[in-house]
Amino acid sequence: MSHHIVEVKGLSHVYPDGTHALRDVSFRITHGESVALIGANGAGKSTLLLHLNGYLVPTQGEVRVGDLPVTRTTLNEIRRSVGMVFQNPDDQLFMPTVFDDVAFGPLNLGLPPEEAERRVAQALEQVDALPLRGKPPYRLSAGEKKRVAIAAVLAMSPDILVMDEPTDGLDPFARRTLIGLLKEFRHTRIITSHDLDMVLELCQRAIVLHEGRVMADGPVLDIFRDEALLAACRLEPPLSMQGCPVCGGQGR
Amino acid sequence: MHMADALLSPAVGAGMWAVSAGAIAWCSRKVRDGQDERQVPLMGVMGAFVFAAQMINFAIPGTGSSGHIGGGLLLALLLGPHAAFLVIASVLVVQALFFADGGLLALGCNMFNMGIIPAFLAYPLIYRPLAGRQPTRARLSIAATATAVVAAQLGALGVVLQTTASGISELPFAAFAGVMLPIHLPIGVAEGVFTAAVVSFISKANPGFTATINPAPASSIRHSRLVPVVLVSALIIAGLCSRYASALPDGLDWSIRHIAGAAEPAAPGSGPHAFFAKLQEKIAPMPDYSAAGASSSVAGIVGAIATMLAVVLCGAILRRPWGKR
Amino acid sequence: MAGIDAVITDLHALEGLALEDSPLQRLDPRAKLLTTLLYIVCVVSFGRYELSALAPFAIFPVAMIAGGSLSLLPLLRRIVLLLPFPLMVGIFNPLIDREIMVQLGPLAISGGWISLASIFLRSLLTLGAALVLVSVTGFPAICAALERFRVPRVFVVQLLFLHRYLYVLAEEGGRMARAREFRSFGNRGMGIRPTTALLGTLLFRTWDRAGRIHHAMLCRGFRGEFPVRRTFRFGLRELLFTAGWSVLFLMLRMGNLSRIVGGLIMEVVR
Ligand SMILES: Nc1ncnc2c1ncn2[C@@H]1O[C@H](COP(=O)(O)OP(=O)(O)O)[C@@H](O)[C@H]1O
Ligand SMILES: [Mg+2]
């Protein structure tokens, strides 16, 4: 079970052009938690996620997943247990059909074709996308693309799901479907977003990033009630917690 | 300009196919052995980039019309010749299949004219020596323009040679070349100027960028490797051309006569040409429309119309079973 | 390649057809690819004055269009857009070759006109066959067939990636071009500097995208080997399809069906 733990210690990252994207970030996420990483544009959320499966190498500090430090030698292990859903599904769905795309991971894991096929069907079923299996990705709607991208990750049976802005670019219905879907998952989940209403529904804990630093880390409701903190980090409380402009109700 | 199936004889088409297929195999091995797996998605999206770049038009000064870059030279500068050739070849495959630009048989010719020539002739032989290791902006522009002009001229020459060697078009070599080469001069210049400008732009906007790209600089195209490829291709082309030049009563030798004022070269009575001529006789037992057989020609035309009608009718009948679309 | 916008629309239409389900679409792509190649070789192998013998060859694309329930319009539009080059070259034939070949009553037709007509017909047939091939097969399936024909994996993967990102990037390029057009007046804004900036920006974005895709591949265990699915089967149906068409093509190539039919008609008329 210790697989599902993510620990970040003193992590800093400087891009080659000199941008300090992360400064001394530390936190620990334990099994089954659902954590939101929130912050304004450019706060460093995506950069942080890219460290969780070893795509970026820390300038300073350390990332551990389960019992393993994220290093060159552990990458294969790490990438199997950390499933990453990209912000733009077009970057993630690169194979000619939905089926091929979802099968890409299992086949790379060396599973025999029948087993891979079984996993693909199961993963597509889970996101309610089985009928799409024969379609090419460019013929999917944004919501369908997102769900297929999630299936592609699920097919590798990860322990931890990492999602960058999952509701980005979705219409209200697709967003609602997706949230319903994500609620079902029992994985450890790390979600970045500025869709704070979604965060409110899906996460118990939030980590606030601002200019590469952790500004707060605690229960979602506590953080969303701290308007001063949110304003300092260029955020706003979710709409469902703001007073209703029409009826004057007080929200949560 | 894309070479077209309709202007091509099977022998020329097959010959060019062989050369281009060889180049694909060779470059694929090079790229695979390069062991840079980042290349896989990079080459793919760069191919798509070529299509996207062709949507961005520029105004051609003084003409009121607009053009777009072809992208071959840019690919060679950014990816190195081997990867660039594969990308260009893949773009041509898509164009042949979807856009029907040229057609499938002409694909070999087009890969040669627009892929092999820029990547393996113009780039190493002109761009590399002219640009040197760390080209200044002016030097880059000159080198790129010269390269693009030469590549475009050679490519156009390729189209002309392949067309005349095939002998489907009556257009004599000299006349055709006289039209095609001048048309491709401004095309080459624009390509070179824009390629240089884009490269300057990216190296100014992101100085680290150009240093990390093109993992295979000049040293990797060793001339020992290049020479055989070029030689073999040249031999094949020359062989095809000469065979067809002697096989055709007009076409190539019209221009030969025109230029040299010499008598028609005598058709050899033996060797491969004779063999092919015989073969041609065998597989085409009734040369169509001999001037004498006027009645048979009429029969041909009546028959052609009748079969066409029958074919369309068949289509209409066949169409029923599967839906109305 | 003018009007990429229109091309992209047609592409969508063409490719959509390959997703439909008919016996023809289900056929192993190798059978269709081989047959189409043989067809094209047969068509272009005729002499330059051949016209009547080419006519019966129309049966193949017509049968495929009918059998695959393809819609004719996008196909024809694509072909018509592409005819100009061969015709431009062929248009000189009547000027150069004026020897009279056919006398139809008062109408004398020179060899040049016949060879021009032949070029026209060849274009229709070969371009039509290529487009029909994609429409009933789909590009990825053609790539899979190529892989089975031992085309290097690197190149097959290249084709698949190119095809996958064709629409994505063409849309991106199109959006950028439109955004600029809205803000340029006359030819101002269409010159070398803004064009370069646009192309450079597009290039950067493309490069970044390649990085992200590469990352996505790594995330799912990519280690240099690219799985290409092979679920096709070259069975009896494929054999019959390929052999049947091949025999027909060869027969049409050897004998002139039009001439025979025409002769019969003339006999009857007399
Ligand atoms: N590849 C890169 N090179 C240089 N700077 C980058 C790169 N990617 C992101 N940055 C910079 O790092 C900071 C954090 O970016 P990012 O992690 O993408 O933020 P977020 O996802 O929170 O919007 C920003 O200032 C951004 O401009
Ligand atoms: Mg981000």
Side-chain angles (χ1 to χ4, degrees), chain A residues 15-17 19-21 39-48 87 164-165:
Chain A
Y15 277 108
D17 67 351
T19 312
H20 281 263
N41 285 329
K45 308 180 293 285
S46 300
T47 307
L48 180 53
Q87 181 169 357
D164 201 356
E165 316 259 1

Side-chain angles (χ1 to χ4, degrees), chain A residues 184-252:
Chain A
E184 304 284 303
F185 292 161
R186 297 274 80 87
H187 307 77
T188 302
R189 276 162 289 166
I190 303 176
I191 301 174
T192 77
S193 190
H194 17 230
D195 177 357
L196 299 188
D197 288 287
M198 174 200 65
V199 168
L200 203 55
E201 285 192 53
L202 286 180
C203 305
Q204 299 88 49
R205 175 178 162 196
I207 298 173
V208 184
L209 280 181
H210 181 57
E211 295 179 353
R213 285 203 176 78
V214 176
M215 301 300 282
D217 181 352
V220 165
L221 276 177
D222 291 355
I223 286 179
F224 287 174
R225 286 203 187 100
D226 188 346
E227 297 208 11
L229 169 76
L230 291 181
C233 299
R234 304 212 330 252
L235 292 168
E236 267 186 354
L239 287 175
S240 54
M241 286 178 65
Q242 294 178 14
C244 170
V246 180
C247 65
Q250 270 307 295
R252 285 194 237 186

